[in-house]
Amino acid sequence: MANNIKPYKVHSKRRRNQTLLVQAGLGVLIVALLFGISYSSVRIIHGQPVFPVRGAQQDGGPPSSESTPPAPESVSTPSGGGAQEVGGRPEAAAPVQAWNTEVPVERTLESDVTASDSRLLAVPANGRLSTEYFRTALFIGDSLSQGFALYAPTRDVATVCAYKSTSPNQVLQNFVGQRPDGSRIEMWDDIKVQSPSNIYVLYGTNALISQSDEAFLKYYSDLLDKLRERFAGVPIYVQSITPTTAEQGVKQPPLENGHIRLINNAIAKLAVSKGLYYLDAQEALADADGNLRGDYVGTYDGIHMNPTGYAAWADYILTHTVYSDYNKQFVTEGPYA
């Protein structure tokens, strides 16, 4: 009897050991499963792939040669300040390249453009064009742009769809606007029938007084999208809000020049992110303190300009255009002359 009990105890002990072993294995599997679920959840929350993808860049490591797309080919142009034609979208590391393409660059996310100073994104000096360039140019904006219909060298030459005391949201809703000659017309209906070769857009003075900065930029973005769609392939220059006098900034704080410069930074990013060109008119019109030059101030307020100011502004445009097959017929000075 005693001999039978001993094998039974040995067998029972083995079974207990096996059970403990199985339980331990299951415990390890459960822990591993929970860890895997937690790891996957974290990766998913952060928008990262759960499993490695062939050719993808590994976290913390240099990009592999398989995953790095080839850089876009560039075409060199004559030296001496000339432009380069660059394919693809503008890179944040070299935002100044966003201006110099023969056609608008591919639309990108606004977050791709990181420059904090609008001057870094502006079209640089690039030779000089004759005033005949303005014959197929279209100016879109408010009463500031109406001056191009009133003063030389653009008077009776350029097409001006500018309306007194207006903002982008009113154009989007096709409100009735007042033309430079005093006549009235639905604004978008007036704009959409034009056939320009180059477009210059300027809004902001009225909107900054009547709206929040955020609302103005949202409506401006929508209007630029609408212009891009209607005038596909036509170069669009988004101009900086022009400076005001120091006294005007005191009277109307939204038009204080420090604030205007901050808004211009946002406008520059907005323009380049959409593949449009940004034109820094402040460079031509502001004095050393960033205020509207005294010899350019008009008689009505510290916002609008006299004929001398518009002549300087038009001259700035003629020396800050993008090279293209169409524009080269007007070149009088520079590497393409």
Side-chain angles (χ1 to χ4, degrees), residues 209-222:
I209 297 173
S210 61
Q211 301 172 349
S212 68
D213 296 348
E214 294 76 12
F216 161 60
L217 292 170
K218 173 61 170 64
Y219 288 127
Y220 207 178
S221 176
D222 291 345

Side-chain angles (χ1 to χ4, degrees), residues 186-199:
E186 288 82 358
M187 291 181 279
W188 179 250
D189 286 348
D190 191 23
I191 293 170
K192 71 181 183 181
V193 298
Q194 306 301 324
S195 300
S197 298
N198 292 278
I199 298 174

Side-chain angles (χ1 to χ4, degrees), residues 224-277:
L224 293 177
D225 285 341
K226 192 166 186 174
L227 289 170
R228 279 173 11 105
E229 181 180 359
R230 168 60 188 86
F231 299 101
V234 178
I236 298 176
Y237 295 81
V238 183
Q239 301 190 86
S240 65
I241 301 174
T242 55
T244 63
T245 61
E247 295 77 13
Q248 191 69 36
V250 173
K251 293 178 183 178
Q252 295 178 301
L255 299 183
E256 188 273 325
N257 285 303
H259 181 240
I260 287 177
R261 284 190 289 273
L262 290 175
I263 299 300
N264 281 338
N265 291 342
I267 291 174
K269 294 180 185 179
L270 187 66
V272 175
S273 72
K274 295 177 182 295
L276 310 180
Y277 305 117

Side-chain angles (χ1 to χ4, degrees), residues 13-317:
K13 186 175 182 180
R14 286 180 180 173
R15 292 186 61 185
R16 285 196 301 270
N17 290 340
Q18 291 175 349
T19 301
L20 291 174
L21 185 61
V22 171
Q23 290 174 344
L26 289 174
V28 171
L29 289 174
I30 291 172
V31 170
L33 181 61
L34 292 175
F35 175 80
I37 293 173
S38 300
Y39 172 81
S40 300
S41 299
V42 171
R43 300 283 291 188
I44 291 171
I45 290 173
H46 289 276
Q48 300 172 338
V50 177
F51 300 104
V53 179
R54 186 177 182 270
Q57 180 179 343
Q58 300 298 316
D59 294 340
S64 67
S65 59
E66 292 182 0
S67 63
T68 305
E73 296 181 0
S74 61
V75 179
S76 299
T77 56
S79 58
Q84 286 187 332
E85 299 170 17
V86 180
R89 60 190 235 178
E91 296 294 335
V96 73
Q97 291 185 348
W99 70 270
N100 54 3
T101 57
E102 250 184 63
V103 295
V105 294
E106 176 186 354
R107 183 173 184 177
T108 66
L109 294 176
E110 189 171 344
S111 59
D112 291 340
V113 184
T114 58
S116 60
D117 191 325
S118 62
R119 293 172 296 181
L120 298 177
L121 300 176
V123 176
N126 190 29
R128 177 180 292 277
L129 306 184
S130 71
T131 55
E132 288 297 303
Y133 168 79
F134 289 126
R135 291 201 178 276
T136 56
L138 170 63
F139 289 89
I140 299 173
D142 53 26
S143 58
L144 275 167
S145 294
Q146 286 186 341
F148 289 106
L150 304 175
Y151 306 117
T154 50
R155 182 187 60 210
D156 301 326
V157 178
T159 300
V160 179
C161 289
Y163 318 94
K164 186 177 180 180
S165 303
T166 192
S167 300
N169 60 306
Q170 297 171 327
V171 180
L172 287 167
Q173 297 176 69
N174 203 24
F175 281 13
V176 173
Q178 181 177 316
R179 289 167 161 167
D181 62 4
S183 62
R184 301 176 68 82
I185 191 172
E186 288 82 358
M187 291 181 279
W188 179 250
D189 286 348
D190 191 23
I191 293 170
K192 71 181 183 181
V193 298
Q194 306 301 324
S195 300
S197 298
N198 292 278
I199 298 174
Y200 291 85
V201 186
L202 170 60
Y203 287 101
T205 304
N206 298 291
L208 292 181
I209 297 173
S210 61
Q211 301 172 349
S212 68
D213 296 348
E214 294 76 12
F216 161 60
L217 292 170
K218 173 61 170 64
Y219 288 127
Y220 207 178
S221 176
D222 291 345
L223 178 58
L224 293 177
D225 285 341
K226 192 166 186 174
L227 289 170
R228 279 173 11 105
E229 181 180 359
R230 168 60 188 86
F231 299 101
V234 178
I236 298 176
Y237 295 81
V238 183
Q239 301 190 86
S240 65
I241 301 174
T242 55
T244 63
T245 61
E247 295 77 13
Q248 191 69 36
V250 173
K251 293 178 183 178
Q252 295 178 301
L255 299 183
E256 188 273 325
N257 285 303
H259 181 240
I260 287 177
R261 284 190 289 273
L262 290 175
I263 299 300
N264 281 338
N265 291 342
I267 291 174
K269 294 180 185 179
L270 187 66
V272 175
S273 72
K274 295 177 182 295
L276 310 180
Y277 305 117
Y278 176 73
L279 192 67
D280 184 17
Q282 291 249 346
E283 189 175 5
L285 306 174
D287 61 20
D289 297 320
N291 302 314
L292 180 61
R293 282 181 48 161
D295 54 337
Y296 294 168
V297 179
T299 58
Y300 299 105
D301 54 30
I303 302 172
H304 296 85
M305 287 169 283
N306 59 28
T308 304
Y310 279 95
W313 190 352
D315 186 75
Y316 184 81
I317 291 173

